[in-house]
Amino acid sequence: MQIVPLKFRPTDDGLILFADDAGGYFKADQSFLKRYTENALDQADRHFLDRNGHAFSEVGDLAYAGFEYRFASRLYSPTELDYVILVPTLRCNLACGYCQVSRVNETTPGFDWNDEILNAVLKFLGGLSTKHIKVEFQGGEPLLRLDVIKQVQAFCRSKFEHCEFVVCTNLQELSSEAWALLEEPDVFTSTSLDSDRATHQAQRTKSAEKTTVFFDNLAAAVGRIGADKISALPTIDPAKPPPAATVIDTFVNYGIRSIYLRPVNYQGFARKQFNALSVASNWNRYHSSFIDALIDYNWEASVHIEEFYFTHCLRRVLRSGHNHHVDLRNPNIIGYSYLVIDHDGKLYPTDEARMISRVGQFDLSMGDVFSGIERDKIETLNAEALNNFHPDCVHCPYQAFCGVDLVDDLSRYGRIDLPKHLTDFCQRHMYIFDKVFSLIYSADPKVQKSLAIWAGAVEFDPSLSKVH
């Protein structure tokens, strides 16, 4: 019998977490670690490892093929291009201090698509082979170009079998025409909701009048569109975060059951007004307390709440193929399954790549809608966009669940070869997977109830917390 390589990490309960390259995991004590490292496993050890998919008799047997399959299914393979982010304008009717895209004032000329760019965008979309398309309108405030949104919608509905549109709007100024668009069945709304009124006003609206308008429009949107078609994302300053209970209460009051906490991004105007370069330690403490607050809330509540990214990471641990979040994939191949078309017609592999280029750090554009896609520089990044052979990742038990985000590394450090444990990405994800496993191995019924909800199960399965 051959044992697949195991990686390990001490845990707070005195045991050690072991995991293999395919994401299989269990806990054991120091004596097992000693036997494993000294090649002195006993019969009980070998039986446990064989029964739980960590061993095989010979290359090509059923156990070996099963392990290969589980390993391969953890890897992300780009699909055809079926998701585009369109930025028809950089103009905005707010001036948020943490804006990560370097927006311009509402009256500033020269930052919108003209007819030439619009026609080129439609021609570009017309050349896609996919039958299903997701189009996300960003800005600026995209509803300032309602005319462009409608033309893109009409074209896509005539070209593709299935369309989904997302409008990322601040919900600040909505005409009857804008409301009609947001109420269309294939349109979803994404907005920002920064905790309570005071926090939202301080970070976004700046005046009591604008704050009232926003919250009135949010309430109207929930009534007219439905909370299930609205994503409201809070941006948190890790140096002075709002109480978890305040955020939860605000979202519950509007019937929104998924909260995607985001720290201030190290992009755009946020670079100047926030210390967003190294925030992992503060953020991790806050995020952990927030998850604990959700667990307490869900224990008593009839309507349950999740933190979106924690749920995503939990599901990446529990199952393979969970790759729908573009910032957590392995390999994180960019520039293929989705891309961004900016206000000037330039193409970018990710929204963050657009931001880096906008502030003058690096030019990560990959052509434009007139000349087409140019992937040469992006392929240089893609060659390093996997963690399977990275010297800082190969011994990490979380490797199979984690990913890479080289664009974030470029933004923060101007390089992609910084030791991983020094990066914000690694520090945040080491914490979050530590938190995931501490909850998986918790005997607290409150914890198990929330884990089952977030995993999409009827109840918590004890077999998920294997111990040898």
Side-chain angles (χ1 to χ4, degrees):
M1 178 186 294
Q2 299 184 57
I3 311 301
V4 301
L6 297 173
K7 311 157 192 189
F8 45 88
R9 177 176 175 82
T11 57
D12 290 340
D13 58 5
L15 296 175
I16 299 170
L17 178 73
F18 293 82
D20 60 35
D21 288 337
Y25 64 87
F26 62 92
K27 278 189 175 184
D29 58 17
Q30 289 281 349
S31 62
F32 172 81
L33 175 62
K34 187 174 188 295
R35 294 194 300 275
Y36 173 69
T37 55
E38 294 178 355
N39 197 25
L41 295 175
D42 59 28
Q43 184 176 357
D45 296 331
R46 292 179 177 275
H47 178 69
F48 174 85
L49 294 172
D50 182 46
R51 190 174 73 250
N52 288 284
H54 305 290
F56 59 95
S57 296
E58 60 182 25
V59 173
D61 67 11
L62 184 59
Y64 183 88
F67 181 84
E68 279 194 321
Y69 175 81
R70 294 194 304 276
F71 173 80
S73 65
R74 288 276 178 183
L75 302 177
Y76 169 68
S77 178
T79 58
E80 61 184 346
L81 180 57
D82 60 0
Y83 174 24
V84 292
I85 296 175
L86 305 182
V87 186
T89 181
L90 278 187
R91 294 182 297 116
C92 191
N93 47 21
L94 287 181
C96 307
Y98 59 62
C99 183
Q100 58 193 35
V101 295
S102 297
R103 47 93 189 114
V104 297
N105 292 331
E106 184 176 0
T107 58
T108 305
F111 291 91
D112 288 61
W113 287 358
N114 55 29
D115 289 342
E116 184 182 15
I117 294 175
L118 172 59
N119 291 331
V121 169
L122 298 181
K123 182 178 180 181
F124 179 86
L125 295 176
L128 301 182
S129 59
T130 181
K131 296 180 180 179
H132 304 267
I133 189 76
K134 178 178 180 179
V135 180
E136 183 172 319
F137 297 98
Q138 291 194 14
E141 171 52 55
L143 289 180
L144 294 176
R145 292 308 309 269
L146 200 57
D147 57 325
V148 169
I149 294 176
K150 288 185 171 184
Q151 290 183 71
V152 172
Q153 283 182 310
F155 177 84
C156 289
R157 287 166 178 160
S158 68
K159 154 75 177 172
F160 303 103
E161 291 181 7
H162 175 79
C163 302
E164 178 182 321
F165 303 101
V166 179
V167 179
C168 301
T169 171
N170 56 36
L171 288 180
Q172 207 60 45
E173 298 178 11
L174 296 173
S175 63
S176 58
E177 198 175 11
W179 276 117
L181 181 139
L182 296 180
E183 291 171 343
E184 292 172 359
D186 56 0
V187 175
F188 295 80
T189 299
S190 179
T191 191
S192 293
L193 172 57
D194 289 354
S195 183
D196 56 6
R197 291 178 65 94
T199 305
H200 194 88
Q201 182 169 315
Q203 295 188 164
R204 294 183 61 80
T205 49
K206 308 304 180 186
S207 74
E209 181 182 3
K210 286 187 176 181
T211 304
T212 298
V213 169
F214 167 76
F215 280 97
D216 287 348
N217 283 339
L218 178 60
V222 170
R224 299 175 66 159
I225 302 169
D228 59 332
K229 292 185 66 181
I230 299 173
S231 297
L233 287 70
T235 300
I236 306 296
D237 179 1
K240 45 181 180 181
T246 302
V247 180
I248 294 170
D249 288 346
T250 300
F251 276 73
V252 169
N253 287 340
Y254 288 96
I256 300 173
R257 299 173 57 184
S258 182
I259 306 172
Y260 185 3
L261 294 179
R262 303 175 302 171
V264 173
N265 204 341
Y266 190 61
Q267 304 280 3
F269 287 109
R271 285 174 174 267
K272 303 174 183 179
Q273 300 195 33
F274 293 87
N275 180 22
L277 176 58
S278 301
V279 300
S281 59
N282 288 342
W283 177 254
N284 293 346
R285 282 193 296 272
Y286 177 71
H287 190 271
S288 180
S289 66
F290 194 95
I291 298 302
D292 293 340
L294 285 179
I295 290 170
D296 287 338
Y297 177 86
N298 286 339
W299 180 245
E300 299 288 349
S302 57
V303 177
H304 306 116
I305 309 296
E306 68 168 9
E307 197 284 308
F308 169 82
Y309 197 70
F310 186 84
T311 296
H312 178 73
C313 291
L314 170 67
R315 292 182 178 184
R316 280 183 66 84
V317 168
L318 300 180
R319 67 188 69 148
S320 60
H322 207 66
N323 293 310
H324 63 266
H325 194 287
V326 298
D327 293 334
L328 190 62
R329 291 169 170 170
N330 181 51
N332 198 351
I333 304 299
I334 58 176
Y336 283 87
S337 59
Y338 90 108
L339 52 76
V340 182
I341 305 179
D342 205 3
H343 72 283
D344 55 3
K346 286 187 177 180
L347 306 175
Y348 293 95
T350 71
D351 204 26
E352 289 72 20
R354 170 175 74 107
M355 300 168 196
I356 286 179
S357 304
R358 176 88 174 117
V359 299
Q361 265 188 297
F362 298 92
D363 180 8
L364 294 182
S365 61
M366 44 183 288
D368 56 51
V369 289
F370 302 106
S371 59
I373 297 175
E374 300 171 6
R375 290 197 174 96
D376 291 349
K377 73 180 76 168
I378 301 305
E379 295 295 19
T380 303
L381 274 182
N382 283 337
E384 304 293 332
L386 74 167
N387 68 20
N388 298 84
F389 310 109
H390 197 287
D392 294 331
C393 301
V394 292
H395 301 296
C396 179
Y398 303 149
Q399 178 194 2
F401 323 121
C402 199
V404 291
D405 191 347
L406 298 181
V407 176
D408 187 67
D409 288 349
L410 282 176
S411 171
R412 293 176 185 275
Y413 317 112
R415 53 192 286 189
I416 64 171
D417 60 347
L418 198 69
K420 290 295 184 185
H421 71 280
L422 299 178
T423 66
D424 182 85
F425 181 89
C426 180
Q427 291 169 11
R428 286 191 295 111
H429 287 86
M430 288 300 291
Y431 142 71
I432 204 167
F433 288 118
D434 278 347
K435 185 75 173 180
V436 165
F437 279 100
S438 72
L439 298 184
I440 287 176
Y441 280 89
S442 171
D444 188 339
K446 290 184 179 180
V447 171
Q448 294 180 352
K449 178 182 179 181
S450 279
L451 284 185
I453 293 166
W454 298 336
V458 175
E459 60 183 14
F460 180 78
D461 185 349
S463 69
L464 297 175
S465 48
K466 295 185 181 72
V467 178
H468 172 51

